[in-house]
Amino acid sequence: MIKKIPTPPALWRIMSESVKVIVRCRPLNEKEREMKTRLVVETNASLQQCSIKRPWDNSKCSKIFTFDGVYGISSSTEMIYSEIVRPIVNGVLDGYNGTVFAYGQTSCGKTFTMEGIESPSAQKGIIPRCCEHILSVTRQRSFDELPKYLLRVSYLEIYNEEIRDLLVKECRYKPEIKEHPDKGIYVKGLSSITVDSYEDMQEIFEAGGKHRSVGATALNSDSSRSHSIFTVDLESCLRSHPKETEVYRTGKLNLVDLAGSERQSKSGCTGERFKESTKINLSLSVLGNVISALVDGKCKYVPYRDSKLTRLLQDSLGGNSKTLMVACISPGENNYEETLSTLRYAKRAKDIRNKPKINEDPKDTIIKRYHDEIQQLKKIIAKEIPVPKQLVTELKGKALFFS
């Protein structure tokens, strides 16, 4: 009888891996402390467990959830980044796609986790930490002739089911979602800016943030009224040995700050705020349907196209990406139902399996075109080849443009 050899664990991770899910619990806010709100959530970092008990139940019975990481009220974003997010960013530097998105009800710490604050430095957000990390590694690796890197960033929001380019002050066109056989899902017409320093990235992110749709509700005086996605596209040219042919890779990192789910009875939204809330809850509901469909092995149809958000996250959920979900929750009894809903949502997401792979196709990389042009110019300067007529025409056109 021939004994079947099991698939090695390392090979299984290459073929398929689960979406990583962690939970972060914020402290009670000032209003909750004044009302002497009781705590109904307990976190156990060592067991990676989060438990929640009913406010009206005096028994010690609790619902317990286990995740890839659990961070309590005293946790820092620095800790979350070093333990969970850093490996995803390292994967992007090696040519994988990566996604980090924060989910939870309004006013539970999503934007705080993604954007953070400057002081104390331990609470600097995931987005600025990712930018620092990428720039630091690419600069360190680029001391030799190879590898070479090209970094571009874009920033958009989904407001009332419309995509807005946050890097254009008055956008006169509507960016459209398209699908490419090699690049996957992308937004046609979206601004993409080349950067080579952390200061550039920070300036672009802050400028885009000023254009985000925010508004006051009964739950949050500065509530995000849209989903935002800050994307870093990274192209690299590398080789293992000096005599080997160059290899061109592309990696993409999506950093997503979702708008919070909210109940109209609690948020007190009316008029335009109510319309925004309805659209937010609708897209988050579709996100839940997508997660359920992916987890249900019998479901043949995944409703990605039912909202702009899920369409843009199609590669991140069940596709070619290393993905992390940060479920942000409140510890107070006043938010028991919403917190329990978030924990159940997050538990389902843990069962999604993605198939990340290194993007090693040079056909569409900008850095390859730049590299080829530089090699051609070097040969022209060395008089190894004549100047092509097409290049002469292009240079004349540029000269007229700048004159």
Side-chain angles (χ1 to χ4, degrees), residues 36-94:
K36 297 182 180 178
T37 304
R38 288 187 301 166
L39 300 177
V40 295
V41 171
E42 289 184 6
T43 56
N44 188 321
S46 59
L47 294 178
Q48 298 180 335
Q49 289 183 340
C50 180
S51 61
I52 182 170
K53 60 183 179 182
R54 296 176 181 174
W56 56 87
D57 191 346
N58 293 324
S59 69
K60 294 183 179 180
C61 183
S62 301
K63 290 182 173 66
I64 299 174
F65 299 85
T66 304
F67 297 100
D68 296 297
V70 172
Y71 297 85
I73 58 177
S74 60
S75 65
S76 68
T77 309
E78 181 178 35
M79 187 189 307
I80 294 171
Y81 189 83
S82 61
E83 293 178 2
I84 303 291
V85 183
R86 180 175 286 273
I88 291 177
V89 180
N90 284 334
V92 173
L93 287 159
D94 291 334

Side-chain angles (χ1 to χ4, degrees), residues 150 194 365-376:
L150 176 68
T194 303
T365 55
I366 295 175
I367 196 170
K368 184 181 188 301
R369 294 206 303 270
Y370 287 168
H371 188 262
D372 291 345
E373 286 176 10
I374 290 169
Q375 297 304 315
Q376 185 186 41

